[in-house]
Amino acid sequence: MNGLSINHYITPAGYPLEQFLDDCAGAGATGVGLTERALGEVPLARIKDMLAARNLAVTSVNSAGFFLWGSEARAQEQRNINAFLVEASQVLAASALTTIGGGYVDAGDAHQASIQELRGRIDDALPPLIAAAEAAGVKLGVEPMHPSRITNKSLLNTLAQTARLLERFPELTVIMDAFHTWWEPDLETFIGTHASRISCVQVSGVVLSNDPFMAPSRCGMRDGVFDLKPLIRMLGDAGYRGPFEFELFAHELQGRAVSDVIRRAVDDFNHLTG
């Protein structure tokens, strides 16, 4: 079993990348997921050296895609971002470049199109990014997201959709985030069939509110409404040997220190896999 990686999204704005890497290495984490913000803080060559000095791998780069921008200027900016993230993934030997298609509101006036039309636009936009990634030796990992993220994140919302996408594009892999997929009735079947196509598994607990207007949120791996241990076992039984990455966002820290939450995450993961 691999050790635990920590996603950089846990850090609030202004938190130095070097401090985050020190927190991860000091807690016994074996890797990191890096965000666009982290990659823009210092040159890639310097980040590579910082990772090597702490013996940390890069398990994901976050996030390329976002193909639905209604403004051509914004779409071109996104293409430039995608190209940079492909380069970063290559330089840092990332396990995968997370790829998210975009949500309804990204399309601007075009959001009046049907959801089927917008999903078709995303599928048609994938081949150039796949080709660029392949040329750089980078794996693209599409991330299915809970339907609550349709508005501003992703129109890839079920594992059934994801399976069809994998069939259409054999070059793609999957970033499987337990936060988004724990509820799926097809979860066990998908893992059994597609374990070899999973490039990274993101883990956290899930908090559900009694307030119907509150979206689900993330918490520690041994908290929340479902047990991660059977999922981790299921993945291992299906032959998955890739990285596990803890993902929690800065607004979910609830006043706790980043370093404390990272240490707790590593302890939780060791308990779940021990």
Side-chain angles (χ1 to χ4, degrees), residues 64-65 67 82-83 86 97-99 122-142 164-173 197:
F67 302 115
N82 290 346
V86 169
L97 171 54
T98 307
T99 306
I122 292 170
D123 290 356
D124 291 343
L126 275 169
L129 186 57
I130 291 172
E134 275 203 300
V138 170
K139 290 182 181 179
L140 288 189
V142 294
R164 291 192 294 271
L165 202 62
L166 293 180
E167 183 176 359
R168 180 175 174 182
F169 298 112
E171 308 90 345
L172 288 180
T173 68
R197 302 286 294 276

PDB file of all heavy atoms in Angstrom, residues 64-65 67 82-83 86 97-99 122-142 164-173 197:
ATOM      1  N   ALA A  64      -6.849  21.050 -15.330  1.00  0.00           N
ATOM      2  CA  ALA A  64      -7.010  21.477 -16.714  1.00  0.00           C
ATOM      3  C   ALA A  64      -8.454  21.264 -17.152  1.00  0.00           C
ATOM      4  O   ALA A  64      -9.291  20.753 -16.409  1.00  0.00           O
ATOM      5  CB  ALA A  64      -6.042  20.709 -17.613  1.00  0.00           C
ATOM      6  N   GLY A  65      -8.720  21.669 -18.410  1.00  0.00           N
ATOM      7  CA  GLY A  65     -10.059  21.474 -18.965  1.00  0.00           C
ATOM      8  C   GLY A  65     -10.810  22.782 -19.090  1.00  0.00           C
ATOM      9  O   GLY A  65     -10.355  23.718 -19.729  1.00  0.00           O
ATOM     10  N   PHE A  67     -13.769  23.680 -20.695  1.00  0.00           N
ATOM     11  CA  PHE A  67     -13.882  23.881 -22.139  1.00  0.00           C
ATOM     12  C   PHE A  67     -15.082  24.725 -22.574  1.00  0.00           C
ATOM     13  O   PHE A  67     -15.290  24.897 -23.770  1.00  0.00           O
ATOM     14  CB  PHE A  67     -13.988  22.516 -22.833  1.00  0.00           C
ATOM     15  CG  PHE A  67     -12.844  21.586 -22.563  1.00  0.00           C
ATOM     16  CD1 PHE A  67     -13.044  20.400 -21.867  1.00  0.00           C
ATOM     17  CD2 PHE A  67     -11.571  21.881 -23.021  1.00  0.00           C
ATOM     18  CE1 PHE A  67     -11.993  19.528 -21.632  1.00  0.00           C
ATOM     19  CE2 PHE A  67     -10.510  21.016 -22.787  1.00  0.00           C
ATOM     20  CZ  PHE A  67     -10.725  19.834 -22.091  1.00  0.00           C
ATOM     21  N   ASN A  82      -4.067  25.421 -19.675  1.00  0.00           N
ATOM     22  CA  ASN A  82      -3.975  23.978 -19.921  1.00  0.00           C
ATOM     23  C   ASN A  82      -2.593  23.585 -20.421  1.00  0.00           C
ATOM     24  O   ASN A  82      -2.027  22.565 -19.991  1.00  0.00           O
ATOM     25  CB  ASN A  82      -5.048  23.551 -20.931  1.00  0.00           C
ATOM     26  CG  ASN A  82      -6.454  23.623 -20.373  1.00  0.00           C
ATOM     27  OD1 ASN A  82      -6.658  23.733 -19.164  1.00  0.00           O
ATOM     28  ND2 ASN A  82      -7.442  23.564 -21.246  1.00  0.00           N
ATOM     29  N   ALA A  83      -2.038  24.409 -21.329  1.00  0.00           N
ATOM     30  CA  ALA A  83      -0.698  24.109 -21.856  1.00  0.00           C
ATOM     31  C   ALA A  83       0.345  24.163 -20.740  1.00  0.00           C
ATOM     32  O   ALA A  83       1.252  23.311 -20.671  1.00  0.00           O
ATOM     33  CB  ALA A  83      -0.353  25.092 -22.972  1.00  0.00           C
ATOM     34  N   VAL A  86       0.012  21.029 -18.552  1.00  0.00           N
ATOM     35  CA  VAL A  86       0.623  19.861 -19.204  1.00  0.00           C
ATOM     36  C   VAL A  86       2.135  19.899 -19.008  1.00  0.00           C
ATOM     37  O   VAL A  86       2.765  18.886 -18.649  1.00  0.00           O
ATOM     38  CB  VAL A  86       0.268  19.815 -20.705  1.00  0.00           C
ATOM     39  CG1 VAL A  86       1.116  18.773 -21.429  1.00  0.00           C
ATOM     40  CG2 VAL A  86      -1.214  19.500 -20.897  1.00  0.00           C
ATOM     41  N   LEU A  97      -2.811  14.516 -14.715  1.00  0.00           N
ATOM     42  CA  LEU A  97      -3.300  15.889 -14.799  1.00  0.00           C
ATOM     43  C   LEU A  97      -4.823  15.841 -14.721  1.00  0.00           C
ATOM     44  O   LEU A  97      -5.481  15.332 -15.631  1.00  0.00           O
ATOM     45  CB  LEU A  97      -2.847  16.533 -16.107  1.00  0.00           C
ATOM     46  CG  LEU A  97      -3.444  17.899 -16.475  1.00  0.00           C
ATOM     47  CD1 LEU A  97      -3.253  18.916 -15.356  1.00  0.00           C
ATOM     48  CD2 LEU A  97      -2.855  18.408 -17.785  1.00  0.00           C
ATOM     49  N   THR A  98      -5.364  16.317 -13.621  1.00  0.00           N
ATOM     50  CA  THR A  98      -6.805  16.317 -13.435  1.00  0.00           C
ATOM     51  C   THR A  98      -7.467  17.186 -14.493  1.00  0.00           C
ATOM     52  O   THR A  98      -7.032  18.307 -14.757  1.00  0.00           O
ATOM     53  CB  THR A  98      -7.164  16.854 -12.038  1.00  0.00           C
ATOM     54  OG1 THR A  98      -6.437  16.120 -11.054  1.00  0.00           O
ATOM     55  CG2 THR A  98      -8.651  16.737 -11.776  1.00  0.00           C
ATOM     56  N   THR A  99      -8.534  16.645 -15.087  1.00  0.00           N
ATOM     57  CA  THR A  99      -9.220  17.337 -16.172  1.00  0.00           C
ATOM     58  C   THR A  99     -10.705  17.419 -15.854  1.00  0.00           C
ATOM     59  O   THR A  99     -11.366  16.398 -15.666  1.00  0.00           O
ATOM     60  CB  THR A  99      -8.996  16.608 -17.505  1.00  0.00           C
ATOM     61  OG1 THR A  99      -7.588  16.454 -17.713  1.00  0.00           O
ATOM     62  CG2 THR A  99      -9.597  17.374 -18.666  1.00  0.00           C
ATOM     63  N   ILE A 122     -17.889  19.375 -24.639  1.00  0.00           N
ATOM     64  CA  ILE A 122     -16.740  18.949 -23.822  1.00  0.00           C
ATOM     65  C   ILE A 122     -16.065  17.748 -24.467  1.00  0.00           C
ATOM     66  O   ILE A 122     -14.829  17.702 -24.609  1.00  0.00           O
ATOM     67  CB  ILE A 122     -17.192  18.630 -22.387  1.00  0.00           C
ATOM     68  CG1 ILE A 122     -17.638  19.918 -21.683  1.00  0.00           C
ATOM     69  CG2 ILE A 122     -16.062  17.952 -21.617  1.00  0.00           C
ATOM     70  CD1 ILE A 122     -18.327  19.686 -20.357  1.00  0.00           C
ATOM     71  N   ASP A 123     -16.839  16.762 -24.884  1.00  0.00           N
ATOM     72  CA  ASP A 123     -16.265  15.569 -25.508  1.00  0.00           C
ATOM     73  C   ASP A 123     -15.484  15.938 -26.767  1.00  0.00           C
ATOM     74  O   ASP A 123     -14.407  15.387 -27.031  1.00  0.00           O
ATOM     75  CB  ASP A 123     -17.364  14.572 -25.868  1.00  0.00           C
ATOM     76  CG  ASP A 123     -17.999  13.927 -24.636  1.00  0.00           C
ATOM     77  OD1 ASP A 123     -17.533  14.197 -23.517  1.00  0.00           O
ATOM     78  OD2 ASP A 123     -18.973  13.173 -24.806  1.00  0.00           O
ATOM     79  N   ASP A 124     -16.004  16.889 -27.546  1.00  0.00           N
ATOM     80  CA  ASP A 124     -15.328  17.291 -28.779  1.00  0.00           C
ATOM     81  C   ASP A 124     -14.054  18.095 -28.506  1.00  0.00           C
ATOM     82  O   ASP A 124     -13.162  18.142 -29.358  1.00  0.00           O
ATOM     83  CB  ASP A 124     -16.280  18.137 -29.637  1.00  0.00           C
ATOM     84  CG  ASP A 124     -17.438  17.326 -30.206  1.00  0.00           C
ATOM     85  OD1 ASP A 124     -17.342  16.084 -30.222  1.00  0.00           O
ATOM     86  OD2 ASP A 124     -18.447  17.934 -30.612  1.00  0.00           O
ATOM     87  N   ALA A 125     -13.990  18.731 -27.324  1.00  0.00           N
ATOM     88  CA  ALA A 125     -12.807  19.535 -26.980  1.00  0.00           C
ATOM     89  C   ALA A 125     -11.679  18.699 -26.390  1.00  0.00           C
ATOM     90  O   ALA A 125     -10.543  19.181 -26.282  1.00  0.00           O
ATOM     91  CB  ALA A 125     -13.203  20.634 -25.991  1.00  0.00           C
ATOM     92  N   LEU A 126     -11.959  17.472 -25.998  1.00  0.00           N
ATOM     93  CA  LEU A 126     -10.941  16.653 -25.343  1.00  0.00           C
ATOM     94  C   LEU A 126      -9.778  16.231 -26.246  1.00  0.00           C
ATOM     95  O   LEU A 126      -8.622  16.229 -25.796  1.00  0.00           O
ATOM     96  CB  LEU A 126     -11.591  15.403 -24.727  1.00  0.00           C
ATOM     97  CG  LEU A 126     -12.182  15.557 -23.334  1.00  0.00           C
ATOM     98  CD1 LEU A 126     -13.030  14.340 -22.975  1.00  0.00           C
ATOM     99  CD2 LEU A 126     -11.094  15.758 -22.294  1.00  0.00           C
ATOM    100  N   PRO A 127     -10.012  15.834 -27.512  1.00  0.00           N
ATOM    101  CA  PRO A 127      -8.891  15.290 -28.307  1.00  0.00           C
ATOM    102  C   PRO A 127      -7.650  16.165 -28.396  1.00  0.00           C
ATOM    103  O   PRO A 127      -6.531  15.635 -28.265  1.00  0.00           O
ATOM    104  CB  PRO A 127      -9.536  15.034 -29.673  1.00  0.00           C
ATOM    105  CG  PRO A 127     -10.970  14.713 -29.351  1.00  0.00           C
ATOM    106  CD  PRO A 127     -11.310  15.642 -28.211  1.00  0.00           C
ATOM    107  N   PRO A 128      -7.751  17.498 -28.604  1.00  0.00           N
ATOM    108  CA  PRO A 128      -6.506  18.282 -28.647  1.00  0.00           C
ATOM    109  C   PRO A 128      -5.729  18.250 -27.332  1.00  0.00           C
ATOM    110  O   PRO A 128      -4.489  18.200 -27.342  1.00  0.00           O
ATOM    111  CB  PRO A 128      -6.995  19.705 -28.964  1.00  0.00           C
ATOM    112  CG  PRO A 128      -8.311  19.520 -29.633  1.00  0.00           C
ATOM    113  CD  PRO A 128      -8.928  18.329 -28.973  1.00  0.00           C
ATOM    114  N   LEU A 129      -6.439  18.271 -26.207  1.00  0.00           N
ATOM    115  CA  LEU A 129      -5.742  18.203 -24.921  1.00  0.00           C
ATOM    116  C   LEU A 129      -5.145  16.815 -24.713  1.00  0.00           C
ATOM    117  O   LEU A 129      -4.031  16.680 -24.196  1.00  0.00           O
ATOM    118  CB  LEU A 129      -6.706  18.555 -23.784  1.00  0.00           C
ATOM    119  CG  LEU A 129      -6.083  18.657 -22.386  1.00  0.00           C
ATOM    120  CD1 LEU A 129      -4.952  19.678 -22.354  1.00  0.00           C
ATOM    121  CD2 LEU A 129      -7.152  19.008 -21.352  1.00  0.00           C
ATOM    122  N   ILE A 130      -5.862  15.779 -25.116  1.00  0.00           N
ATOM    123  CA  ILE A 130      -5.320  14.423 -25.038  1.00  0.00           C
ATOM    124  C   ILE A 130      -4.041  14.314 -25.861  1.00  0.00           C
ATOM    125  O   ILE A 130      -3.031  13.750 -25.408  1.00  0.00           O
ATOM    126  CB  ILE A 130      -6.371  13.391 -25.526  1.00  0.00           C
ATOM    127  CG1 ILE A 130      -7.529  13.294 -24.528  1.00  0.00           C
ATOM    128  CG2 ILE A 130      -5.722  12.025 -25.738  1.00  0.00           C
ATOM    129  CD1 ILE A 130      -8.693  12.447 -25.023  1.00  0.00           C
ATOM    130  N   ALA A 131      -4.070  14.875 -27.082  1.00  0.00           N
ATOM    131  CA  ALA A 131      -2.885  14.810 -27.955  1.00  0.00           C
ATOM    132  C   ALA A 131      -1.701  15.553 -27.347  1.00  0.00           C
ATOM    133  O   ALA A 131      -0.558  15.065 -27.384  1.00  0.00           O
ATOM    134  CB  ALA A 131      -3.229  15.384 -29.330  1.00  0.00           C
ATOM    135  N   ALA A 132      -1.958  16.727 -26.771  1.00  0.00           N
ATOM    136  CA  ALA A 132      -0.875  17.495 -26.147  1.00  0.00           C
ATOM    137  C   ALA A 132      -0.297  16.736 -24.960  1.00  0.00           C
ATOM    138  O   ALA A 132       0.932  16.707 -24.756  1.00  0.00           O
ATOM    139  CB  ALA A 132      -1.395  18.862 -25.709  1.00  0.00           C
ATOM    140  N   ALA A 133      -1.171  16.133 -24.165  1.00  0.00           N
ATOM    141  CA  ALA A 133      -0.703  15.369 -23.012  1.00  0.00           C
ATOM    142  C   ALA A 133       0.103  14.148 -23.450  1.00  0.00           C
ATOM    143  O   ALA A 133       1.172  13.855 -22.889  1.00  0.00           O
ATOM    144  CB  ALA A 133      -1.888  14.953 -22.156  1.00  0.00           C
ATOM    145  N   GLU A 134      -0.392  13.434 -24.437  1.00  0.00           N
ATOM    146  CA  GLU A 134       0.320  12.251 -24.940  1.00  0.00           C
ATOM    147  C   GLU A 134       1.706  12.623 -25.447  1.00  0.00           C
ATOM    148  O   GLU A 134       2.686  11.912 -25.192  1.00  0.00           O
ATOM    149  CB  GLU A 134      -0.477  11.593 -26.059  1.00  0.00           C
ATOM    150  CG  GLU A 134      -1.536  10.617 -25.582  1.00  0.00           C
ATOM    151  CD  GLU A 134      -1.876   9.614 -26.668  1.00  0.00           C
ATOM    152  OE1 GLU A 134      -2.332  10.042 -27.742  1.00  0.00           O
ATOM    153  OE2 GLU A 134      -1.686   8.407 -26.433  1.00  0.00           O
ATOM    154  N   ALA A 135       1.801  13.735 -26.174  1.00  0.00           N
ATOM    155  CA  ALA A 135       3.092  14.168 -26.713  1.00  0.00           C
ATOM    156  C   ALA A 135       4.091  14.473 -25.603  1.00  0.00           C
ATOM    157  O   ALA A 135       5.304  14.324 -25.778  1.00  0.00           O
ATOM    158  CB  ALA A 135       2.891  15.399 -27.595  1.00  0.00           C
ATOM    159  N   ALA A 136       3.562  14.881 -24.439  1.00  0.00           N
ATOM    160  CA  ALA A 136       4.423  15.210 -23.298  1.00  0.00           C
ATOM    161  C   ALA A 136       4.605  14.033 -22.342  1.00  0.00           C
ATOM    162  O   ALA A 136       5.287  14.170 -21.325  1.00  0.00           O
ATOM    163  CB  ALA A 136       3.829  16.401 -22.535  1.00  0.00           C
ATOM    164  N   GLY A 137       3.977  12.895 -22.638  1.00  0.00           N
ATOM    165  CA  GLY A 137       4.068  11.745 -21.741  1.00  0.00           C
ATOM    166  C   GLY A 137       3.275  11.918 -20.464  1.00  0.00           C
ATOM    167  O   GLY A 137       3.628  11.358 -19.419  1.00  0.00           O
ATOM    168  N   VAL A 138       2.179  12.675 -20.541  1.00  0.00           N
ATOM    169  CA  VAL A 138       1.353  12.996 -19.372  1.00  0.00           C
ATOM    170  C   VAL A 138       0.024  12.261 -19.465  1.00  0.00           C
ATOM    171  O   VAL A 138      -0.600  12.222 -20.533  1.00  0.00           O
ATOM    172  CB  VAL A 138       1.111  14.521 -19.294  1.00  0.00           C
ATOM    173  CG1 VAL A 138       0.066  14.871 -18.245  1.00  0.00           C
ATOM    174  CG2 VAL A 138       2.427  15.235 -19.006  1.00  0.00           C
ATOM    175  N   LYS A 139      -0.432  11.705 -18.355  1.00  0.00           N
ATOM    176  CA  LYS A 139      -1.753  11.079 -18.298  1.00  0.00           C
ATOM    177  C   LYS A 139      -2.805  12.126 -17.935  1.00  0.00           C
ATOM    178  O   LYS A 139      -2.645  12.864 -16.959  1.00  0.00           O
ATOM    179  CB  LYS A 139      -1.786   9.975 -17.229  1.00  0.00           C
ATOM    180  CG  LYS A 139      -0.980   8.737 -17.559  1.00  0.00           C
ATOM    181  CD  LYS A 139      -1.144   7.704 -16.441  1.00  0.00           C
ATOM    182  CE  LYS A 139      -0.344   6.449 -16.717  1.00  0.00           C
ATOM    183  NZ  LYS A 139      -0.491   5.459 -15.599  1.00  0.00           N
ATOM    184  N   LEU A 140      -3.880  12.171 -18.705  1.00  0.00           N
ATOM    185  CA  LEU A 140      -5.034  12.982 -18.330  1.00  0.00           C
ATOM    186  C   LEU A 140      -5.973  12.134 -17.489  1.00  0.00           C
ATOM    187  O   LEU A 140      -6.281  10.997 -17.847  1.00  0.00           O
ATOM    188  CB  LEU A 140      -5.798  13.468 -19.562  1.00  0.00           C
ATOM    189  CG  LEU A 140      -5.171  14.539 -20.441  1.00  0.00           C
ATOM    190  CD1 LEU A 140      -6.211  15.008 -21.469  1.00  0.00           C
ATOM    191  CD2 LEU A 140      -4.669  15.715 -19.632  1.00  0.00           C
ATOM    192  N   GLY A 141      -6.441  12.694 -16.386  1.00  0.00           N
ATOM    193  CA  GLY A 141      -7.395  11.998 -15.532  1.00  0.00           C
ATOM    194  C   GLY A 141      -8.683  12.795 -15.429  1.00  0.00           C
ATOM    195  O   GLY A 141      -8.699  13.878 -14.832  1.00  0.00           O
ATOM    196  N   VAL A 142      -9.767  12.307 -16.032  1.00  0.00           N
ATOM    197  CA  VAL A 142     -11.051  12.979 -15.891  1.00  0.00           C
ATOM    198  C   VAL A 142     -11.617  12.671 -14.506  1.00  0.00           C
ATOM    199  O   VAL A 142     -11.418  11.579 -13.971  1.00  0.00           O
ATOM    200  CB  VAL A 142     -12.046  12.564 -16.988  1.00  0.00           C
ATOM    201  CG1 VAL A 142     -11.571  13.049 -18.345  1.00  0.00           C
ATOM    202  CG2 VAL A 142     -12.276  11.059 -17.011  1.00  0.00           C
ATOM    203  N   ARG A 164     -18.393   5.330 -20.313  1.00  0.00           N
ATOM    204  CA  ARG A 164     -18.564   5.566 -21.749  1.00  0.00           C
ATOM    205  C   ARG A 164     -17.446   6.444 -22.301  1.00  0.00           C
ATOM    206  O   ARG A 164     -16.969   6.231 -23.423  1.00  0.00           O
ATOM    207  CB  ARG A 164     -19.932   6.205 -22.018  1.00  0.00           C
ATOM    208  CG  ARG A 164     -21.113   5.267 -21.775  1.00  0.00           C
ATOM    209  CD  ARG A 164     -22.404   5.831 -22.328  1.00  0.00           C
ATOM    210  NE  ARG A 164     -22.848   7.034 -21.642  1.00  0.00           N
ATOM    211  CZ  ARG A 164     -23.632   7.039 -20.566  1.00  0.00           C
ATOM    212  NH1 ARG A 164     -24.034   5.886 -20.034  1.00  0.00           N
ATOM    213  NH2 ARG A 164     -24.019   8.164 -20.017  1.00  0.00           N
ATOM    214  N   LEU A 165     -17.007   7.421 -21.501  1.00  0.00           N
ATOM    215  CA  LEU A 165     -15.916   8.296 -21.929  1.00  0.00           C
ATOM    216  C   LEU A 165     -14.611   7.511 -22.052  1.00  0.00           C
ATOM    217  O   LEU A 165     -13.831   7.705 -22.989  1.00  0.00           O
ATOM    218  CB  LEU A 165     -15.766   9.444 -20.927  1.00  0.00           C
ATOM    219  CG  LEU A 165     -15.082  10.726 -21.417  1.00  0.00           C
ATOM    220  CD1 LEU A 165     -15.874  11.358 -22.558  1.00  0.00           C
ATOM    221  CD2 LEU A 165     -14.948  11.714 -20.268  1.00  0.00           C
ATOM    222  N   LEU A 166     -14.357   6.613 -21.106  1.00  0.00           N
ATOM    223  CA  LEU A 166     -13.156   5.787 -21.163  1.00  0.00           C
ATOM    224  C   LEU A 166     -13.170   4.875 -22.384  1.00  0.00           C
ATOM    225  O   LEU A 166     -12.122   4.609 -22.988  1.00  0.00           O
ATOM    226  CB  LEU A 166     -13.038   4.944 -19.894  1.00  0.00           C
ATOM    227  CG  LEU A 166     -12.771   5.698 -18.592  1.00  0.00           C
ATOM    228  CD1 LEU A 166     -12.695   4.713 -17.433  1.00  0.00           C
ATOM    229  CD2 LEU A 166     -11.502   6.533 -18.669  1.00  0.00           C
ATOM    230  N   GLU A 167     -14.347   4.397 -22.745  1.00  0.00           N
ATOM    231  CA  GLU A 167     -14.450   3.537 -23.928  1.00  0.00           C
ATOM    232  C   GLU A 167     -14.159   4.339 -25.195  1.00  0.00           C
ATOM    233  O   GLU A 167     -13.493   3.863 -26.109  1.00  0.00           O
ATOM    234  CB  GLU A 167     -15.848   2.929 -24.001  1.00  0.00           C
ATOM    235  CG  GLU A 167     -16.032   1.949 -25.154  1.00  0.00           C
ATOM    236  CD  GLU A 167     -17.391   1.284 -25.147  1.00  0.00           C
ATOM    237  OE1 GLU A 167     -18.202   1.561 -24.242  1.00  0.00           O
ATOM    238  OE2 GLU A 167     -17.642   0.480 -26.066  1.00  0.00           O
ATOM    239  N   ARG A 168     -14.648   5.582 -25.225  1.00  0.00           N
ATOM    240  CA  ARG A 168     -14.443   6.415 -26.407  1.00  0.00           C
ATOM    241  C   ARG A 168     -12.998   6.884 -26.530  1.00  0.00           C
ATOM    242  O   ARG A 168     -12.466   6.981 -27.645  1.00  0.00           O
ATOM    243  CB  ARG A 168     -15.384   7.628 -26.342  1.00  0.00           C
ATOM    244  CG  ARG A 168     -15.239   8.568 -27.531  1.00  0.00           C
ATOM    245  CD  ARG A 168     -16.270   9.682 -27.498  1.00  0.00           C
ATOM    246  NE  ARG A 168     -16.022  10.648 -28.556  1.00  0.00           N
ATOM    247  CZ  ARG A 168     -16.733  11.755 -28.754  1.00  0.00           C
ATOM    248  NH1 ARG A 168     -17.765  12.019 -27.951  1.00  0.00           N
ATOM    249  NH2 ARG A 168     -16.435  12.587 -29.726  1.00  0.00           N
ATOM    250  N   PHE A 169     -12.363   7.185 -25.388  1.00  0.00           N
ATOM    251  CA  PHE A 169     -11.001   7.726 -25.395  1.00  0.00           C
ATOM    252  C   PHE A 169     -10.091   6.812 -24.572  1.00  0.00           C
ATOM    253  O   PHE A 169      -9.937   6.999 -23.360  1.00  0.00           O
ATOM    254  CB  PHE A 169     -10.979   9.141 -24.812  1.00  0.00           C
ATOM    255  CG  PHE A 169     -11.795  10.147 -25.575  1.00  0.00           C
ATOM    256  CD1 PHE A 169     -12.941  10.690 -25.012  1.00  0.00           C
ATOM    257  CD2 PHE A 169     -11.428  10.549 -26.850  1.00  0.00           C
ATOM    258  CE1 PHE A 169     -13.698  11.628 -25.700  1.00  0.00           C
ATOM    259  CE2 PHE A 169     -12.175  11.484 -27.559  1.00  0.00           C
ATOM    260  CZ  PHE A 169     -13.313  12.023 -26.982  1.00  0.00           C
ATOM    261  N   PRO A 170      -9.477   5.833 -25.201  1.00  0.00           N
ATOM    262  CA  PRO A 170      -8.655   4.869 -24.442  1.00  0.00           C
ATOM    263  C   PRO A 170      -7.435   5.485 -23.784  1.00  0.00           C
ATOM    264  O   PRO A 170      -6.830   4.864 -22.909  1.00  0.00           O
ATOM    265  CB  PRO A 170      -8.254   3.831 -25.504  1.00  0.00           C
ATOM    266  CG  PRO A 170      -8.476   4.494 -26.816  1.00  0.00           C
ATOM    267  CD  PRO A 170      -9.574   5.478 -26.626  1.00  0.00           C
ATOM    268  N   GLU A 171      -7.076   6.711 -24.165  1.00  0.00           N
ATOM    269  CA  GLU A 171      -5.908   7.365 -23.557  1.00  0.00           C
ATOM    270  C   GLU A 171      -6.227   7.945 -22.177  1.00  0.00           C
ATOM    271  O   GLU A 171      -5.316   8.238 -21.397  1.00  0.00           O
ATOM    272  CB  GLU A 171      -5.406   8.502 -24.450  1.00  0.00           C
ATOM    273  CG  GLU A 171      -5.160   8.111 -25.894  1.00  0.00           C
ATOM    274  CD  GLU A 171      -6.404   8.287 -26.774  1.00  0.00           C
ATOM    275  OE1 GLU A 171      -7.526   8.437 -26.225  1.00  0.00           O
ATOM    276  OE2 GLU A 171      -6.246   8.259 -28.001  1.00  0.00           O
ATOM    277  N   LEU A 172      -7.500   8.138 -21.869  1.00  0.00           N
ATOM    278  CA  LEU A 172      -7.884   8.795 -20.623  1.00  0.00           C
ATOM    279  C   LEU A 172      -7.755   7.865 -19.422  1.00  0.00           C
ATOM    280  O   LEU A 172      -7.917   6.645 -19.538  1.00  0.00           O
ATOM    281  CB  LEU A 172      -9.335   9.276 -20.699  1.00  0.00           C
ATOM    282  CG  LEU A 172      -9.632  10.480 -21.593  1.00  0.00           C
ATOM    283  CD1 LEU A 172     -11.117  10.794 -21.540  1.00  0.00           C
ATOM    284  CD2 LEU A 172      -8.812  11.695 -21.179  1.00  0.00           C
ATOM    285  N   THR A 173      -7.488   8.469 -18.275  1.00  0.00           N
ATOM    286  CA  THR A 173      -7.581   7.771 -16.998  1.00  0.00           C
ATOM    287  C   THR A 173      -8.636   8.488 -16.150  1.00  0.00           C
ATOM    288  O   THR A 173      -9.285   9.425 -16.601  1.00  0.00           O
ATOM    289  CB  THR A 173      -6.224   7.756 -16.267  1.00  0.00           C
ATOM    290  OG1 THR A 173      -5.899   9.094 -15.856  1.00  0.00           O
ATOM    291  CG2 THR A 173      -5.123   7.206 -17.152  1.00  0.00           C
ATOM    292  N   ARG A 197      -7.619   1.757 -15.065  1.00  0.00           N
ATOM    293  CA  ARG A 197      -7.704   3.086 -15.671  1.00  0.00           C
ATOM    294  C   ARG A 197      -7.738   4.199 -14.615  1.00  0.00           C
ATOM    295  O   ARG A 197      -7.796   5.386 -14.967  1.00  0.00           O
ATOM    296  CB  ARG A 197      -8.967   3.192 -16.546  1.00  0.00           C
ATOM    297  CG  ARG A 197      -9.067   2.154 -17.666  1.00  0.00           C
ATOM    298  CD  ARG A 197      -8.138   2.421 -18.809  1.00  0.00           C
ATOM    299  NE  ARG A 197      -8.463   3.638 -19.546  1.00  0.00           N
ATOM    300  CZ  ARG A 197      -9.377   3.713 -20.528  1.00  0.00           C
ATOM    301  NH1 ARG A 197     -10.083   2.624 -20.856  1.00  0.00           N
ATOM    302  NH2 ARG A 197      -9.585   4.840 -21.176  1.00  0.00           N
TER     303      ARG A 197
END
